[in-house]
Amino acid sequence: MNVLITGVAGFIGYHLAQRLLAAGLQVHGIDNLNDYYDVTLKKDRLSQLKDHPNFTFQFLDLCDRQGLYDLFQHGSFSHVVNLAAQAGVRYSLQNPHAYIDSNVAGFMNLLEACRHYPVQHLVYASSSSVYGANKKIPFAVEDNVDHPISLYAATKKAGELMAYTYSHLFSIPTTGLRFFTVYGTWGRPDMAYFKFVKSIQEGKPIDVYNFGEMHRDFTYIDDVVEGILRVMQRPPQAVPGTPEQPADEPYQLYNIGNNKPVALGYFIEVIEAALGKKAKKNFLPMQPGDVPITYANVDDLINDVGFQPTTSIETGIARFVEWYREYYG
């Protein structure tokens, strides 16, 4: 494999690059190092990768269409993993254009690059947010996702539709991964668990939304990366149609979640135990764009690639707290 990772300085991109490099593969990473959260953290992730002989990095934005085409023309990539995106549900209410630019226009440029410079498999990040306020649980990829409740979710749904179209028209094998609340070492400072640890450590109160009546399918980063690796090696195949059965495109979707929702109250207790400190809590109502529960059905992931996330919340949080104290002192 010669793998292109977009968003390589991001949380998931960094961890995936580490695993691929450890396996002896060639990795080319691109990132625009935007300032949605601390750029120093992104640069520190890159510093962990840059000295590896099989790693190359280029500062590049997906919105730079010509730059992207030039990269593909000379890159000869076998696999592309698109993890570049404008993240964050709440921020999409404040800066909607950033989501259209990156998650729609940028992804469109990437699809066009894969069309003109064919790859064996394009794997891209979607999100559990596409399920909106889905009442059926656990969430399955067959569920209707036509009612997103944030612009972030709408752009992720748009990405899935665009990928399907390119799989249909140009036979590009594409797989979308609906990630469920990924957490872990080197994580994103805008995520709740990161904010909780920081505030509790500093003796500051934490904001607990929906008065704590929320459940999340927290998924540890190592499990997410294992899922990505297995999916990468299994590009979807086109199946010719018959009079009785329409053709299948080389297109696939998977949930990557822990399949075990955790109550927010218990989640905070686990963080308190790992830190050895109690939290001061501000109980607040539900925020716009938020949902009361996420819960992944991962049957397809188990059946197709033989993997199910297994890291417990207790283990994952303990690892994160250890990293946080080492990194921030």
Side-chain angles (χ1 to χ4, degrees), residues 73 87 90 99 123 130 194 198 292 308 320:
Q73 184 177 6
R90 292 171 191 149
Y99 292 77
V123 179
V130 300
F194 204 117
K198 182 177 188 296
Q308 178 178 356
F320 174 75

Side-chain angles (χ1 to χ4, degrees), residues 8-20:
V8 73
F11 174 31
I12 301 176
Y14 158 73
H15 280 278
L16 178 62
Q18 287 273 44
R19 282 287 300 274
L20 292 173

Side-chain angles (χ1 to χ4, degrees), residues 84-231:
Q86 178 57 62
V89 170
R90 292 171 191 149
Y91 186 61
S92 69
L93 278 70
Q94 304 166 29
N95 190 5
H97 294 288
Y99 292 77
I100 300 301
D101 292 343
S102 180
N103 302 1
V104 179
F107 188 46
M108 176 70 197
N109 291 339
L110 188 65
L111 286 166
E112 275 289 288
C114 290
R115 169 192 175 187
H116 293 290
Y117 303 96
V119 298
Q120 295 175 28
H121 196 184
L122 167 61
V123 179
Y124 62 94
S126 187
S127 169
S128 63
S129 295
V130 300
Y131 291 106
N134 192 9
K135 298 295 191 293
K136 173 184 165 293
I137 55 175
F139 302 164
V141 292
E142 297 82 14
D143 293 346
N144 184 288
V145 290
D146 291 337
H147 302 92
I149 60 174
S150 70
L151 184 67
Y152 170 71
T155 61
K156 287 299 187 180
K157 168 64 176 175
E160 293 179 359
L161 292 172
M162 291 158 60
Y164 178 86
T165 303
Y166 271 67
S167 293
H168 171 76
L169 291 175
F170 309 114
S171 299
I172 301 172
T174 68
T175 300
L177 303 177
R178 293 174 175 174
F179 296 130
F180 281 69
T181 317
V182 185
Y183 75 103
T185 59
W186 293 96
R188 280 172 35 201
D190 64 309
M191 297 290 285
Y193 73 94
F194 204 117
K195 292 179 178 178
F196 288 169
V197 169
K198 182 177 188 296
S199 294
I200 296 170
Q201 179 87 347
E202 296 173 357
K204 298 176 181 178
I206 61 174
D207 291 336
V208 182
Y209 292 106
N210 203 34
F211 307 102
E213 297 300 317
M214 300 174 76
H215 289 72
R216 287 290 181 270
D217 205 346
F218 294 102
T219 314
Y220 191 66
I221 183 61
D222 291 358
D223 288 334
V224 167
V225 169
E226 181 64 28
I228 296 172
L229 287 172
R230 295 195 183 205
V231 167

Side-chain angles (χ1 to χ4, degrees), residues 252-267:
Q252 184 64 267
L253 289 171
Y254 292 109
N255 288 332
I256 296 190
N258 209 41
N259 193 229
K260 293 178 181 177
V262 175
L264 184 57
Y266 179 70
F267 182 64

Side-chain angles (χ1 to χ4, degrees), residues 241-256:
T242 67
E244 296 79 24
Q245 181 69 34
D248 283 340
E249 320 299 345
Y251 169 87
Q252 184 64 267
L253 289 171
Y254 292 109
N255 288 332
I256 296 190

